[in-house]
Amino acid sequence: MQARSPKWRRRSEARPGEIVQAALEVFAEKGFAAAKLDEIAARAGISKGALYLYFETKEDIFRAVVREAVAPNLDMVEGLLAQATLPFPDLLRLVIGRIVKVIGTTRLGAVAKLVIGESRNFPELARVWHDEVVSRALGAMTGALAKAQDRGEIRPGDPRLQAFSIVGPVLMGVIWQETFTPVGASALDLEALALQHCETVLTGLASRVVMLP
């Protein structure tokens, strides 16, 4: 029988993930500038000195949060958009629905707000968010739109600009939800907004010979 790994070793190997999860919660609650390494370490159940064994700076921790807690959701989106078997209207409805579900069940919206609010003072946050999240999402959507144009499913146009048109209102909904609802603004049904916008966009994108269901 194979010997089991010592418990302390398994704990040590799990610590980077525990630090990332703790940092995600602290960043979402307090923002980047106000987040303290002491609190991140405490939530991860380690000392501040132990935290430095895995990450040198708070920026390194944020980069890990994006790559390990946010970017995996982009893998799912990229995989869906790469499907060539679904008609584009069905594909877009599927992708938008999945994106909204991820936003509703994770702290992704809070991290996006953090980046928007603090990128002037911490430009590295914007750089990481752009490279690891925004450029990947826009690239995948742009590619799917270009393929749909080639198949004659949607009208010609700049697919990158069309991608901006699709994701823009969803981002606005996230900003509303994270910024204004907590201070008393009327709550927003992000799923209803996204699905209604999806139908509006599909009507505008439809080629003249394609009838949407």
Side-chain angles (χ1 to χ4, degrees):
M1 295 179 63
Q2 186 176 2
R4 294 183 178 180
S5 300
K7 184 176 181 180
W8 64 266
R9 181 179 177 184
R10 296 199 302 274
R11 170 69 175 169
S12 177
E13 291 171 347
R15 275 178 177 163
E18 294 169 352
I19 294 170
V20 165
Q21 186 58 43
L24 173 61
E25 296 299 324
V26 175
F27 287 151
E29 292 170 14
K30 300 190 173 182
F32 186 80
K36 303 299 182 184
L37 294 179
D38 306 73
E39 183 171 359
I40 294 173
R43 291 207 192 188
I46 62 175
S47 68
K48 186 176 179 181
L51 184 149
Y52 282 116
L53 296 176
Y54 302 96
F55 302 100
E56 294 184 2
T57 66
K58 192 160 59 171
E59 286 80 2
D60 288 338
I61 298 176
F62 179 80
R63 190 176 294 107
V65 166
V66 172
R67 289 178 177 171
E68 298 180 27
V70 178
N73 294 304
L74 268 294
D75 296 337
M76 176 268 293
V77 171
E78 287 176 327
L80 289 175
L81 287 171
Q83 295 185 45
T85 56
L86 286 176
F88 184 76
D90 294 338
L91 178 61
L92 185 60
R93 294 182 184 110
L94 175 62
V95 169
I96 292 296
R98 294 286 180 86
I99 290 174
V100 171
K101 184 175 181 179
V102 168
I103 293 172
T105 57
T106 68
R107 305 305 298 269
L108 191 150
V111 178
K113 176 192 172 187
L114 177 159
V115 174
I116 294 170
E118 304 195 47
S119 60
R120 181 178 294 274
N121 293 326
F122 301 98
E124 181 62 18
L125 305 186
R127 187 175 298 111
V128 171
W129 192 256
H130 172 269
D131 294 348
E132 302 288 342
V133 180
V134 175
S135 64
R136 288 180 58 188
L138 279 175
M141 183 65 74
T142 299
L145 285 159
K147 291 178 182 177
Q149 288 181 14
D150 291 342
R151 295 192 299 265
E153 290 186 278
I154 62 175
R155 66 177 65 246
D158 185 327
R160 187 168 185 268
L161 295 181
Q162 290 174 341
F164 271 97
S165 298
I166 290 171
V167 302
V170 177
L171 176 59
M172 181 60 202
V174 171
I175 293 172
W176 181 279
Q177 194 175 56
E178 295 290 337
T179 303
F180 301 120
T181 301
V183 296
S186 57
L188 177 69
D189 186 335
L190 188 59
E191 181 178 9
L193 167 68
L195 294 178
Q196 178 174 293
H197 172 63
C198 185
E199 297 307 315
T200 301
V201 166
L202 287 172
T203 300
L205 286 175
S207 66
R208 296 178 182 176
V209 296
V210 175
M211 297 296 293
L212 296 178

